[in-house]
Amino acid sequence: MRTARAILRHEARLMASLVRWAARRTSGTGTRFGYAEGQGAMMSGLAFVCVVETVAVSVLLRDWPAVERVMLVLDVYTVLMVVGLHAASVVHPHLLTQDALLVRNGVRLEQRIPLHLIKSVRSDTRYLHDRKAAAELDVPVGSQTSVTVELAEPVTHFTLLGRAREVSVVRLHADDATGLVRQLGQALTRARTAPSPCPDRPRPAVPAAARPAEDAPRPRSGL
């Protein structure tokens, strides 16, 4: 039941991404770094194949109207899902905020990495990834990642179905990998060189003349 809810929630968010895409709106605030250009041609080709299949199935099943209607609904839904996957990638870019980097992959993944946990960041183009590496999170686009982020302390990553694991290396793809590395490096420098809050200053000593009368030393009695 939990798996079914997760899948239904994911598909509902894909449909919402279609609406955002049509309205040319993106999700979240911060400096945006897109990653959808690398998969645009592939997703367009896949959507075209699905449309051709829909037409072909409708022609083949024209003598069975009831079956044809059912298959038409399923095929149209499949086309919407394919377009929704691309739309989700467009409207949910990576985000760099004042205190964190949000690594995204459509509506399937949003990994928040606090800046103070990032040890290093570098441009690193890779096409092969070790899926068995337990402490690594790979977020490729078209089987490619172009940025590697190493962490001083691990963060918890939750999969689409809610499984948790600790990761200390995150690899992602960005259309402008150089710009992401540069701006993230600048943000890390600012975070590390920010002045610490000033400690409370010691209270100045109160002059004897300004002390209350009851605090002034009493004269000794001659008796």
Side-chain angles (χ1 to χ4, degrees), residues 2 20 31 47 73 100 171 180 186 191-192 201 221:
R2 182 179 178 181
R20 283 182 174 272
T31 305
V73 171
R171 295 188 176 91
L180 173 56
Q186 293 173 352
R192 291 167 181 169
R201 295 182 177 179
S221 174

Side-chain angles (χ1 to χ4, degrees), residues 39-53 82 86:
Q39 67 178 14
M42 179 184 67
M43 299 302 290
S44 298
L46 184 58
F48 176 76
V49 170
C50 290
V51 171
V52 172
E53 180 187 5
V82 171
H86 180 65

